[in-house]
Amino acid sequence: MSQKFFYHRRTLAARLTKLITQVAVGSAAASGVFLTAPRRTGKSTFAREDLRPALEEAGAIVLYADLWKDPTTEPGAVIVETVREAIGRDEKLMSRLAIAPGLEAVSVGRLKFNVNKIGIGKEIGLTKAFEALSDEVKKLIVLIIDETQQAITTDEGVAALFALKAARDELNSSKHYGLRIVCIGSNQNKLAMLRNSSDEAFFGAPMVQLPLLDKDFVDWYCKWLDLPNNLDPSDVFQLFQESGYRPEIISAAADGIRLDPTDDPKAILVRFAELVRAQVAALNANLKMVIHSLTPIQSAVIRVMGAKGESFAPYESSTMELYAKATESTGVAPSEPIIEVEDVQLALMALLEKKLVWKTSRGVYTIEEQIVVDMLRDDGLLESLA
């Protein structure tokens, strides 16, 4: 695709590249770097189109694993497959691994190596695989993991993160050429679970809030928009802010104009604004519909979860009392049976299926997106539940 169809943030990419590759005294970047921004605001495009090229220009070998590319695939398997693909592209490296002690892979006339031997609990673990890759390329390796928080939703994903920690510690020793792990996510609270505790794989790694796309992006966007009449970037920027800084929403509005063109410049702006606001309203309306369709106990659980935030503990006695309080406020008679732990478990399962709630492999629950908490608060449903 032509470069004009991507808005590049090269200054930001250069600054992050320096943070990732040039570890200074007092920096924790060697432990990993965490980048976060709200969903659908361009962080993955930035990672692929700006950060990755900048890291490569700085001399690093860059691997990229998107844990949301296929939601049906185990997150740990995605990480392992990314390493396998990197090694599979290098015949010399595969030959080296094929003759590694304890591995037999000889065929007529040549050596063969099956990359499936690489993995957690396999003949070649991730540390050995990264060691071989590092020693072969003799360059810093950077692994970018998009939507990293998904890794802690499964035991295999957690195991992969700890395997990466071991590989990182080994490759950052003086024997090799270095390994940096860049973790990207759309929910800062979820990402923080990977770095806030001393028993997590990336304890102490720095968290960087990516800046949202700004007026410069909108100026560039309007320049290449190719509508019958030009839109004023100042007007579009205001609408872009209303859309939550999500490029997809204003792009869909532009498509709506193309399907229903008009020669009146003022009419184009009015119609564009209507389309943007209609999409935002539709997104919120769909989410509200899901929230208002919850059963009383499901509603009580998500409301208490939203009110308690990071301190939410689903089965503590004080939390159980709050469920009862929240249920009564929905109009359910106090004479209803007392809420039991099994009721909460079933409610949490239902909320997970509706994608309103997210759960780690350790049983920690949090609300999927901040917008859900904001809606509950705006409707007065979190009052007196903290």
Side-chain angles (χ1 to χ4, degrees):
M1 184 177 288
S2 171
Q3 286 296 303
K4 76 177 184 180
F5 294 113
F6 290 106
Y7 175 71
H8 292 285
R9 293 193 277 178
R10 294 189 174 93
T11 300
L12 176 60
R15 190 164 74 245
L16 289 173
T17 294
K18 184 174 181 180
L19 171 67
I20 294 164
T21 61
Q22 299 179 16
V23 179
V25 174
S27 171
S31 298
V33 174
F34 284 63
L35 307 177
T36 181
R39 189 174 297 177
R40 301 295 186 185
T41 56
K43 63 184 178 303
S44 295
T45 300
F46 167 74
R48 292 191 301 266
E49 301 298 329
D50 288 317
L51 183 57
R52 182 172 189 165
L55 288 164
E56 290 173 340
E57 287 176 14
I61 298 296
V62 183
L63 314 184
Y64 183 88
D66 185 353
L67 302 193
W68 263 2
K69 184 177 182 180
D70 181 359
T72 64
T73 303
E74 157 66 45
V78 175
I79 294 171
V80 169
E81 187 58 33
T82 300
V83 179
R84 289 174 176 173
E85 287 178 1
I87 289 175
R89 290 192 291 267
D90 191 321
E91 291 189 7
K92 186 176 179 181
L93 177 55
M94 287 195 292
S95 295
R96 174 189 293 189
L97 288 170
I99 58 176
L103 295 178
E104 68 284 338
V106 181
S107 66
V108 178
R110 62 178 294 184
L111 292 170
K112 287 186 177 180
F113 177 73
N114 186 342
V115 293
N116 289 330
K117 293 178 181 288
I118 298 170
I120 300 166
K122 300 286 187 177
E123 293 97 324
I124 296 180
L126 292 188
T127 297
K128 289 295 181 184
F130 272 115
E131 283 179 13
L133 182 58
S134 177
D135 296 344
E136 179 63 31
V137 299
K138 294 180 171 56
K139 294 180 179 181
L140 175 71
I141 300 169
V142 179
L143 172 61
I144 299 175
I145 308 176
D146 206 348
E147 300 298 347
T148 314
Q149 72 279 348
Q150 292 305 108
I152 59 173
T153 62
T154 68
D155 290 338
E156 186 175 341
V158 171
L161 292 180
F162 277 97
L164 289 177
K165 175 187 180 298
R168 177 203 68 194
D169 293 346
E170 176 59 32
L171 264 67
N172 288 341
S173 70
S174 59
K175 297 179 183 179
H176 306 286
Y177 296 84
L179 172 64
R180 304 289 186 267
I181 312 294
V182 179
C183 300
I184 302 176
S186 54
N187 186 303
Q188 185 169 334
N189 291 337
K190 293 177 185 176
L191 270 186
M193 294 181 189
L194 285 78
R195 59 178 286 279
N196 284 354
S197 174
S198 59
D199 61 350
E200 295 295 347
F202 298 99
F203 175 62
M207 176 86 76
V208 178
Q209 182 76 44
L210 287 175
L212 295 170
L213 291 166
D214 56 14
K215 182 66 164 51
D216 289 341
F217 164 74
V218 172
D219 291 342
W220 168 88
Y221 180 85
C222 290
K223 176 182 177 181
W224 296 106
L225 200 48
D226 192 27
L227 291 179
N229 290 292
N230 293 331
L231 293 172
D232 186 327
S234 297
D235 294 325
V236 175
F237 184 60
Q238 180 179 342
L239 293 166
F240 185 54
Q241 291 176 302
E242 290 182 31
S243 75
Y245 298 86
R246 289 173 285 187
E248 289 178 348
I249 288 181
I250 60 172
S251 293
D255 285 339
I257 298 294
R258 294 187 183 99
L259 293 171
D260 184 20
T262 176
D263 293 327
D264 183 352
K266 292 183 179 179
I268 283 185
L269 176 59
V270 170
R271 180 60 178 152
F272 185 82
E274 289 174 348
L275 290 169
V276 168
R277 289 166 179 153
Q279 286 187 83
V280 173
L283 288 173
N284 292 342
N286 288 338
L287 188 52
K288 276 199 171 186
M289 190 181 301
V290 174
I291 292 173
H292 288 295
S293 69
L294 300 176
T295 66
I297 180 61
Q298 292 166 8
S299 176
V301 170
I302 198 167
R303 289 167 59 198
V304 171
M305 190 182 301
K308 298 291 285 184
E310 294 182 21
S311 64
F312 175 71
Y315 308 117
E316 284 187 353
S317 59
S318 59
T319 308
M320 300 293 288
E321 291 172 3
L322 285 176
Y323 296 146
K325 183 177 181 180
T327 303
E328 289 176 15
S329 69
T330 63
V332 177
S335 58
E336 289 289 316
I338 296 174
I339 296 173
E340 303 287 353
V341 168
E342 289 184 0
D343 300 322
V344 178
Q345 291 173 333
L346 291 173
L348 286 169
M349 289 174 59
L351 294 170
L352 284 166
E353 290 176 0
K354 295 175 186 292
K355 300 190 182 304
L356 293 174
V357 165
W358 181 84
K359 173 179 174 287
T360 73
S361 64
R362 292 184 174 184
V364 177
Y365 292 88
T366 186
I367 292 180
E368 179 70 46
E369 294 189 71
Q370 179 61 34
I371 188 174
V372 176
V373 180
D374 295 339
M375 283 185 175
L376 292 170
R377 182 175 291 111
D378 291 343
D379 288 346
L381 296 174
L382 304 186
E383 294 176 5
S384 71
L385 292 178

